[in-house]
């Protein structure tokens, strides 16, 4: 299994904070968001770790090359969307981590458990790690752990981490949003959720980022 850390976005929801640096290089508790994601990725069994880049790519790529070894850069001259970013580098099953989340060390065991569950259930094409004990929900999961997407009956929250099976995106265009795939995957009954206990705070907006400073 390979790992993709998503780091190509413009960071528009961060307003002026990303005027001069890419969002993944913003710091919380004196550590960059990209570091939280890569450090988690390195502790998960993997073949390769990829980081996709676009906005302010030279700054981010220089930082990664100076501080990490064996990280593969997937540069996007034109931004591809999450779906396109996955398709570009997918030649194996893939674990995807956002840099919009403040990753907790306790999540590592849960990711490993989710990978085992994914490997044991070949009917699952895409497994989304979710938490149903919070207050701000953005997805619906049913009693069979299937994700209904789209839906307005929110009862769980996406944790910014999912696992997708190899060769599931070959029929999709090179530039597309992963939500387009989720719609079809849900219709086919192959989009699942995996319940987690750990909560990785979402810090992808200026308000949430500032709220989580400590």
């Amino acid at each position: 299994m390979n790992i993709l850390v998503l780091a190509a976005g413009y960071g528009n929801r961060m307003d002026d904070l990303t005027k001069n640096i890419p969002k993944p290089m913003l710091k919380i508790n004196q550590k960059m968001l990209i570091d939280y994601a890569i450090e988690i990725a390195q502790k998960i069994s993997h073949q390769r770790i990829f980081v996709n880049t676009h906005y302010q790519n030279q700054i981010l790529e220089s930082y990664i090359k100076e501080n990490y070894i064996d990280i593969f850069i997937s540069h996007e001259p034109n931004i591809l969307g999450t779906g396109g970013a996955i398709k570009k580098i997918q030649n194996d099953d893939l674990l995807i981590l956002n840099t919009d989340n403040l990753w907790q060390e306790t999540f590592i065991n849960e990711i490993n458990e989710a990978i085992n569950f994914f490997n044991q259930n070949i009917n699952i094409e895409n497994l989304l790690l979710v938490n149903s004990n919070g207050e701000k929900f953005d997805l619906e999961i049913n009693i069979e752990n299937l994700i209904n997407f789209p839906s307005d009956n929110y009862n769980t929250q996406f944790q910014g981490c999912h696992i997708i099976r190899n060769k599931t995106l070959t029929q999709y265009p090179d530039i597309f949003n992963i939500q387009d795939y989720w719609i079809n995957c849900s219709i086919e009954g192959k989009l699942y959720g995996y319940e987690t206990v750990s909560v990785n705070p979402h810090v992808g907006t200026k308000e949430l980022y500032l709220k989580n400073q400590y």
Side-chain angles (χ1 to χ4, degrees), residues 5 19 44-45 54 57-58 61 67 81 87 102 120 129 132 149 154 171 183 192 195 198 205 210 214:
V5 175
K19 181 179 179 180
I44 303 298
S45 179
H54 174 72
N57 68 290
Q58 292 181 339
E61 290 171 17
N67 291 275
K87 180 183 176 182
L102 190 58
Q120 293 167 9
L129 277 67
S132 300
F149 188 88
Y154 301 149
Q171 302 303 315
I183 292 171
Y192 281 74
E195 287 284 354
S198 302
T205 68
L210 295 175
Y214 55 89

Side-chain angles (χ1 to χ4, degrees), residues 17-207:
L17 297 179
T18 51
K19 181 179 179 180
N20 298 313
I21 60 170
K23 179 175 61 176
M25 295 186 72
L26 292 175
K27 290 183 177 181
I28 289 183
N29 196 27
Q30 301 303 310
K31 186 161 82 172
M32 293 181 185
L33 297 178
I34 189 68
D35 294 324
Y36 282 98
I38 291 178
E39 288 174 11
I40 289 290
Q42 289 177 325
K43 295 175 182 177
I44 303 298
S45 179
H46 63 272
Q47 298 295 322
R48 292 183 173 184
I49 298 174
F50 294 86
V51 176
N52 74 326
T53 65
H54 174 72
Y55 176 67
Q56 304 272 14
N57 68 290
Q58 292 181 339
I59 300 173
L60 181 56
E61 290 171 17
S62 293
Y63 176 77
I64 292 172
K65 291 174 182 176
E66 290 173 4
N67 291 275
Y68 297 99
I69 60 173
D70 298 331
I71 300 292
F72 294 84
I73 301 296
S74 177
H75 174 58
E76 300 175 12
N78 298 306
I79 201 160
L80 303 178
T82 301
I86 294 171
K87 180 183 176 182
K88 180 182 178 183
I89 59 101
Q90 190 180 28
N91 57 12
D92 198 347
D93 294 343
L94 191 66
L95 172 73
I96 298 103
L97 292 168
N98 292 345
T99 48
D100 282 353
N101 292 79
L102 190 58
W103 297 105
Q104 307 298 302
E105 288 284 330
T106 54
F107 201 53
I108 295 170
N109 288 337
E110 295 186 280
I111 292 176
N112 285 325
E113 291 168 359
I115 291 172
N116 290 334
F117 181 76
F118 177 83
N119 290 335
Q120 293 167 9
N121 293 273
I122 60 173
N123 57 308
I124 299 175
E125 276 195 11
N126 201 180
L127 184 65
L128 281 59
L129 277 67
V130 299
N131 181 280
S132 300
N133 295 317
E135 298 178 352
K136 294 184 178 180
F137 298 142
D138 54 9
L139 289 174
E140 179 190 0
I141 189 170
N142 67 22
I143 58 174
E144 297 177 335
N145 293 324
L146 284 162
I147 297 291
N148 298 320
F149 188 88
S151 173
D152 293 325
N153 300 314
Y154 301 149
N155 61 3
T156 194
Q157 183 177 25
F158 180 48
Q159 287 289 287
C161 175
H162 58 118
I163 308 166
I164 189 166
R165 205 168 296 282
N166 189 24
K167 298 182 179 179
T168 55
L169 303 181
T170 54
Q171 302 303 315
Y172 286 80
D174 292 339
I175 301 175
F176 75 101
N177 293 320
I178 195 64
Q179 288 85 354
D180 297 339
Y181 165 70
W182 285 354
I183 292 171
N184 295 328
C185 196
S186 177
I187 291 171
E188 294 172 359
K190 297 179 180 180
L191 184 66
Y192 281 74
Y194 187 88
E195 287 284 354
T196 67
V197 175
S198 302
V199 175
N200 304 286
H202 184 266
V203 293
T205 68
K206 182 177 181 180
E207 178 184 6

